């Protein structure tokens, strides 16, 4: 029986997304939200205006049959922009569920996801209408598409599609219930008070990339979302404040753009939303023009930005810090940001199931300047609200000594305990751990280091080789732009590593001769040998034009393993 306890005498209020919106509207009404549209045009709004339009949107959705507190899934197929931000706030605040769809997924995956989530209305960027029309016929649940633009833009883009291809134009125009966003919200006043919902209520839905098996839906609650956004804004995480201008390159269609849209509302910072143009030049220009102080994204983006910064010989003028995560970030990529441009780099780890931010690298009061400059080679310590452990194959906890490696387990306020639509019996019992499928070590200061995905580790002669460590070591060679290491079957050792390399082209000139390749291979292996054990070195290096990536920017190693399934290692290169 539970003992009676002395209750605190504090007001109780549910933690709700609408509270963030109302706060931003009250305290940061004039702070700017800047979007670059698919057309390249830059448009400006503010937290105050955005909040009013979010209320109009909620009223429009109600008129469309989405009742307050209904939990209905409302989907988006869109890049980062202010209208998408309005959906981020309006849909949860009215008690519906925002389901963000990743336009980089295959059609079949998207169709599966939309049907599984039973999305009824989908908001889509106008330039993605042809993509939407290819999906529409297969979608039973969807009854309305809303294009994120005004009536003129919609007419213009439909005409443009028709000129390109008449059938395409017609199929876009025939999307069920197609309407432009501005006409959709225009009839409504924006005068409404947000409902008081239970904080455990679902507010967001994001499916995992599903590299193996069907994608699985992670269903965030208001409580988990608000706590995650609060913790992510802390000084030892994104260090966000009202003095910042944040540019999330990480897309709003994947894991809530790392919580930035909500953290930004809490602190009232300027938000810069780049739309689909995330090449090095476009990013540099926008960061510079809008005075961004912080930007966040996956490593591939920083590769592009670094090249542009080197061409300009400077950084975007106010840029202070970059958060990187979502995939392994080689030191060869992150170090130059600090050494050449004086930008702080924070390396984090997370996953869809952890909302996503789990850890971030930040110095402590006792960290020396020298140690601070390489802190981002690890993945930082857990945020308040997240706990981490590593275990061996028998599930026994391993020491936190920076050496022992095992599967990373997590638990906390914003860690999933089940997937949307899964049986209740599959739920992780309270107090138990979520198994991440990542292999990591944890050092004496609780900093984690991700060694690999369990499935990507290479087992040679009964010992494990980290594919990430091989890639990082290869990237130290100046001619290596990108690298992927995969394990392939080997008659003697079980598996051996094959390294695939994308060369950095010097002025477009790439020497294709075998001799040049051999020289480069030897050079790469020599540099790698400085950072990894000799028996880890790949048995072969193959030069490729590009490497396949998943819809969320990670190396697609399943495809690579499939592609090189029949590759036979040259015997003379066996170590
Ligand atoms: P997703 O759920 O699609 O965001 O993918 C999560 C997975 O991405 C994690 O389980 C890791 O395998 C990987 N990941 C995330 N951040 C990092 C990082 N900083 N370094 C290496 N892998 C990462």
């Amino acid at each position: 029986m539970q003992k009676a306890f002395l209750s605190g005498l504090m007001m109780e209020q549910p933690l709700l997304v609408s509270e963030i919106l109302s706060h931003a509207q009250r305290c940061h009404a004039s702070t700017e939200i800047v979007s670059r549209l698919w057309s390249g045009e830059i448009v400006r709004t503010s937290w105050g205006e955005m909040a009013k339009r979010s209320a109009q949107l909620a009223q429009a959705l109600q008129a469309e049959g989405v009742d307050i507190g209904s939990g209905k899934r409302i989907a988006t197929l869109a890049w980062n922009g202010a209208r998408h931000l309005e959906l981020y706030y309006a849909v949860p605040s009215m008690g519906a569920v925002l389901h963000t769809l990743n336009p980089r997924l295959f059609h079949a995956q998207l169709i599966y996801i939309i049907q599984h989530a039973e999305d009824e209305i989908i908001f889509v960027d106008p330039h993605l209408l042809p993509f939407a029309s290819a999906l529409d016929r297969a979608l039973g649940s969807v009854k309305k598409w809303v294009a994120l633009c005004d009536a003129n833009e919609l007419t213009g883009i439909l005409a443009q599609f028709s000129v390109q291809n008449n059938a395409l134009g017609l199929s876009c125009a025939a999307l069920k219930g197609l309407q432009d966003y501005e006409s959709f919200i225009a009839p409504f006043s924006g005068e409404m008070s947000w409902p008081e919902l239970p904080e455990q209520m679902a507010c967001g839905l994001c499916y995992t990339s599903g590299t193996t098996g069907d994608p699985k839906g992670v269903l965030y609650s208001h409580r988990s979302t608000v706590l995650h956004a609060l913790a992510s804004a802390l000084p030892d995480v994104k260090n966000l404040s009202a003095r910042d201008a944040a540019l999330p390159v990480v897309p709003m269609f994947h894991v809530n753009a790392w919580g930035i849209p909500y953290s930004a509302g809490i602190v009232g910072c300027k938000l810069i939303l780049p739309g689909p143009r995330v090449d090095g030049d476009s990013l540099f220009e926008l960061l510079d023009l809008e005075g961004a102080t912080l930007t966040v994204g996956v490593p591939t983006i920083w590769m592009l930005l670094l090249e542009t910064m080197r061409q300009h010989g400077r950084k975007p003028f106010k840029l202070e810090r970059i958060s990187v995560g979502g995939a392994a970030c080689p030191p060869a990529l992150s170090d130059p940001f600090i050494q050449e441009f004086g930008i702080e780099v924070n390396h984090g780890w997370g996953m869809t199931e952890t909302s996503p931010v789990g850890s971030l690298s930040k110095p402590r009061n006792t960290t020396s300047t020298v140690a601070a400059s390489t802190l981002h080679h690890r993945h930082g310590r857990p945020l308040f609200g997240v706990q981490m452990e590593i275990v061996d194959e028998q599930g026994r906890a391993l020491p936190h000594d920076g050496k022992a490696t095992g599967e990373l387990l997590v638990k906390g306020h914003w860690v999933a305990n089940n997937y949307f639509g899964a049986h209740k019996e599959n739920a992780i019992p309270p107090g138990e751990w979520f198994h991440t499928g990542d292999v990591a070590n944890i050092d004496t200061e609780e900093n984690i280091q991700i060694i690999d995905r369990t499935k990507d580790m290479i087992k040679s002669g009964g010992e494990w080789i980290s594919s990430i460590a091989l890639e990082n070591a290869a990237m130290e060679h100046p001619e290596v732009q990108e690298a992927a290491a995969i394990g392939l079957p080997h008659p003697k050792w079980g598996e051996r590593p094959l390294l695939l390399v994308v060369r950095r082209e010097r002025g477009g000139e790439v020497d294709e001769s075998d001799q040049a390749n051999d020289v480069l291979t030897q050079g790469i292996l020599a540099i790698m040998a400085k950072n990894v054990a000799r028996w880890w070195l790949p048995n072969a290096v193959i030069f490729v034009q590009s490497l396949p990536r998943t819809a969320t920017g990670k190396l697609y190693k399943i495809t690579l393993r499939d592609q090189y399934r029949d590759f036979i290692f040259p015997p003379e290169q066996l170590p």
Side-chain angles (χ1 to χ4, degrees), residues 185-422:
I185 67 166
F188 302 94
S189 66
E191 304 295 327
M192 73 175 277
S193 29
W194 297 109
E196 183 143 323
L197 306 163
E199 64 178 15
Q200 293 81 4
M201 189 170 183
C203 76
L205 178 63
C206 180
Y207 281 72
T208 58
S209 349
T211 45
T212 50
D214 285 329
K216 297 191 281 277
V218 180
L219 193 60
Y220 308 105
S221 68
H222 281 264
R223 178 184 162 80
S224 72
T225 300
V226 173
L227 289 175
H228 173 261
L230 266 172
S232 298
L234 285 171
D236 276 352
V237 192
K238 303 273 161 41
N239 191 14
L240 264 188
S241 78
R243 293 174 298 286
D244 274 308
L247 189 154
V249 185
V250 52
M252 288 167 75
F253 56 69
H254 187 55
V255 283
N256 305 312
W258 299 355
I260 295 274
Y262 296 129
S263 296
I266 289 175
V267 302
C269 68
K270 173 174 172 178
L271 205 46
I272 308 154
L273 302 168
R277 294 184 192 203
V278 291
D279 59 279
D281 288 342
S282 305
L283 267 183
F284 185 94
E285 186 195 47
L286 195 61
L287 289 162
D288 212 30
L289 213 64
E290 296 300 330
T293 53
L294 165 76
T295 180
V296 302
V298 295
T300 32
I301 297 291
W302 308 136
M303 218 177 320
L304 305 174
L305 183 66
L306 183 61
E307 301 230 326
T308 309
M309 282 173 21
R310 281 177 169 157
Q311 280 159 17
H312 285 262
R314 67 172 181 92
K315 62 172 189 164
F317 85 112
K318 278 194 176 171
L319 188 61
E320 292 167 5
R321 49 198 201 278
I322 286 179
S323 286
V324 61
C329 183
L333 170 61
S334 46
D335 285 350
F337 280 94
I338 304 172
Q339 290 160 6
E340 293 175 33
F341 298 101
I343 297 172
E344 180 181 324
V345 176
N346 306 120
H347 193 179
W349 172 91
M351 56 198 308
T352 311
E353 288 89 337
T354 63
S355 293
V357 186
S359 70
L360 201 78
S361 67
K362 283 275 182 170
R364 298 168 190 266
N365 164 285
T366 48
T367 312
S368 69
T369 316
V370 176
S373 67
T374 56
L375 210 61
H376 61 285
H377 295 181
R378 299 178 69 81
H379 298 75
R381 53 182 183 272
L383 277 61
F384 164 80
V386 176
Q387 293 169 57
M388 296 189 179
E389 191 50 278
I390 40 170
V391 293
D392 65 13
E393 279 165 19
Q394 282 71 45
R396 290 175 302 220
L398 292 165
H400 295 191
D401 57 7
K403 294 190 194 97
T405 60
E407 190 184 4
L408 180 68
L409 312 185
V410 290
K411 59 178 159 183
H413 299 292
W414 49 89
V415 178
N417 71 1
N418 207 352
Y419 293 104
F420 181 53

Side-chain angles (χ1 to χ4, degrees), residues 148-170:
L148 292 164
C149 59
D150 63 25
N152 284 339
E153 282 171 296
L154 182 58
T155 310
I157 200 159
L158 288 176
Q160 203 180 314
F161 290 145
S162 295
V163 170
Q164 282 166 13
N165 174 338
N166 195 34
L168 176 68
L170 288 175

Side-chain angles (χ1 to χ4, degrees), residues 457-523:
M457 294 281 285
I458 301 161
K459 198 163 198 181
S460 173
E463 300 286 339
W464 291 107
I465 298 174
S466 154
S467 67
I468 293 181
L470 291 181
E471 289 151 13
N472 287 354
M475 294 275 294
E476 293 293 326
H477 193 289
E479 287 293 309
V480 177
Q481 175 151 320
E482 280 182 274
I486 51 170
L488 292 180
H490 187 277
K492 183 168 176 193
W493 302 105
E495 272 186 340
R496 288 297 301 161
L498 169 71
L499 186 75
L500 300 148
V501 166
V502 178
R503 277 174 297 191
R504 195 180 302 282
E505 296 181 26
R506 288 269 159 92
E509 290 291 315
V510 175
D511 194 334
E512 294 293 348
S513 74
D514 285 351
Q515 210 186 354
N517 283 346
D518 285 349
V519 172
L520 187 51
T521 299
Q522 292 316 317

